[in-house]
Amino acid sequence: MKKVLITLTVLFIITLLSSTVQAKTTLKMVTFLPKGNNNMTAFMAFVDSVNEKGKGDLEIKYIGGPEAIPGFEQFEALKNGVVDMILGCESYYGGKVTRAAYTHLTLLDPVKERKNGYYDFRNELFRKHNVHYLGRAEFGVWFHIFTNKLATDLNGIKGQKIRVSATYESFVKRLGAIPVTMPGSDIYTALERGTIDGYAWAVLGNVQMGWADVCKYVLEPRIYQMNIENLINLKTWEKLTKSQQKLLTDCMIENEKEYTPIMADIAEKEYAELQKKGMKVIKFSPEETKKYLELAYQAGWDDVIKSNPELGPKLKKMLTP
């Protein structure tokens, strides 16, 4: 009888230990940018924070970047549960969610977006696609048009072939340039071969990707805000415990607050670095600069409102002070 009790006790302990080990939740994550890209600095800090605070209970496992799943296909992979989480660029999937990309047009930081109800509203939009919105892993980083053809005014941009994503397409068209849609990974070769005259991109990543070696000019002024979002599959989210959901939410909010000034500083340093590499900053006259800025936001919001007359005006009102 004692042997039976001992055996049962051992089996119970083994079962208990086994269930404890299995209790750890691992989230498979991919990013639209390759590992080590400067634009992922804030997000990877978020991942590290979750893994440290959730040790033994919750882990985010990096599967890869666009080499694992092409950037334009990652949102579908997330929706279908192929992966649990993505660091995504809204211009890659915005058309599927709201018919037009728009998050780059915001004039609010993530903290203010949470306070004015935008975060909750954004989540409602994503839930229809089996996605939960965790937040914005980056803010404080702006965009430019980079080109190999000198343009001293807006007329100089006309006719240029500019690489775009949905973030800049309407603006580039309004400038009279020719938009060419392609992933960031193709920019270097396209510049070298003359397939494109220039490209639109964030201030970050140009030096690291080698584009500063094959592109001559940066057009001022600075436009837009970084449109990177951290998303998780809704079914995955609902399977998490309340404490795991809280951990992800708290780490995201903390990251948004801490890394906004950090990312802005990193962006300023890279802006100086790409100029050291030989890129020349082209500044328009005050009148042309004003026109350029107004056109950037007008073109963006016009496109959103035209694509979605019901939703567009509401989004513009929420994101424009």
Side-chain angles (χ1 to χ4, degrees):
M1 185 67 180
K2 287 183 179 179
K3 288 183 179 180
V4 174
L5 288 173
I6 292 171
T7 302
L8 289 172
T9 302
V10 171
L11 286 173
F12 175 75
I13 293 172
I14 291 173
T15 302
L16 183 63
L17 289 173
S18 176
S19 64
T20 301
V21 172
Q22 293 173 0
K24 180 180 177 180
T25 301
T26 299
L27 304 175
K28 295 180 294 182
M29 177 266 292
V30 294
T31 58
F32 78 102
L33 291 168
K35 189 175 184 179
N37 188 285
N38 283 346
N39 282 288
M40 287 168 52
T41 301
F43 178 72
M44 294 312 293
F46 162 76
V47 172
D48 291 341
S49 179
V50 170
N51 288 345
E52 181 183 346
K53 295 177 181 178
K55 195 169 184 179
D57 179 46
L58 181 65
E59 174 191 39
I60 299 175
K61 185 177 181 181
Y62 181 71
I63 302 300
E67 77 285 352
I69 300 176
F72 286 104
E73 298 175 18
Q74 290 182 3
F75 187 73
E76 286 301 314
L78 178 71
K79 282 177 57 179
N80 297 329
V82 176
V83 293
D84 299 302
M85 184 182 292
I86 68 169
L87 174 68
C89 180
E90 190 254 354
S91 63
Y92 287 23
Y93 51 79
K96 298 174 184 177
V97 179
T98 51
R99 298 184 206 161
Y102 72 90
T103 59
H104 57 287
L105 299 170
T106 184
L107 296 179
L108 304 178
D109 63 42
V111 175
K112 291 177 181 176
E113 287 180 352
R114 288 180 183 272
K115 286 182 179 179
N116 78 346
Y118 169 77
Y119 169 84
D120 294 326
F121 185 68
R122 183 71 173 148
N123 231 330
E124 288 178 23
L125 297 174
F126 273 124
R127 290 183 72 86
K128 299 173 185 177
H129 299 270
N130 193 35
V131 171
H132 176 79
Y133 177 49
L134 280 172
R136 302 182 62 180
E138 185 173 338
F139 191 83
V141 177
W142 62 92
F143 295 82
H144 289 282
I145 289 178
F146 304 82
T147 178
N148 275 322
K149 288 188 175 180
L150 180 63
T152 56
D153 56 27
L154 270 62
N155 284 327
I157 308 172
K158 290 181 179 179
Q160 290 197 35
K161 299 187 295 291
I162 304 295
R163 174 271 170 192
V164 300
S165 66
T167 303
Y168 338 86
E169 185 172 2
S170 57
F171 176 46
V172 167
K173 283 181 178 178
R174 198 72 68 91
L175 288 169
I178 303 166
V180 180
T181 301
M182 67 171 64
S185 56
D186 294 343
I187 290 176
Y188 187 95
T189 302
L191 286 168
E192 270 197 322
R193 295 177 178 175
T195 307
I196 55 175
D197 299 309
Y199 62 97
W201 193 263
V203 65
L204 286 183
N206 297 274
V207 174
Q208 196 171 20
M209 301 290 277
W211 301 333
D213 299 325
V214 289
C215 195
K216 297 177 182 178
Y217 306 109
V218 189
L219 301 184
E220 285 272 20
R222 305 172 178 187
I223 57 172
Y224 303 152
Q225 274 294 339
M226 182 52 71
N227 50 355
I228 291 177
E229 297 179 309
N230 186 7
L231 311 176
I232 185 170
N233 177 276
L234 182 59
K235 290 181 180 177
T236 297
W237 172 258
E238 291 175 341
K239 289 178 183 177
L240 297 176
T241 64
K242 293 296 182 183
S243 61
Q244 289 172 334
Q245 290 179 351
K246 187 176 187 302
L247 173 64
L248 288 170
T249 301
D250 289 350
C251 285
M252 189 77 259
I253 292 173
E254 180 183 322
N255 184 273
E256 289 174 345
K257 292 178 180 177
E258 180 182 356
Y259 272 82
T260 290
I262 291 174
M263 293 310 300
D265 183 59
I266 292 173
E268 292 289 357
K269 288 177 179 176
E270 176 146 345
Y271 195 48
E273 182 63 22
L274 63 84
Q275 291 175 66
K276 289 180 183 178
K277 287 282 186 179
M279 276 193 176
K280 184 179 179 182
V281 175
I282 303 300
K283 294 189 177 183
F284 301 139
S285 68
E287 293 77 20
E288 290 282 276
T289 296
K290 183 174 182 291
K291 185 177 178 182
Y292 185 92
L293 277 171
E294 289 176 347
L295 198 59
Y297 287 92
Q298 182 184 338
W301 282 120
D302 283 354
D303 189 42
V304 175
I305 293 170
K306 181 180 178 180
S307 300
N308 199 328
E310 182 180 351
L311 184 61
K314 183 172 184 177
L315 289 170
K316 183 179 181 180
K317 185 176 181 181
M318 292 184 82
L319 297 176
T320 306

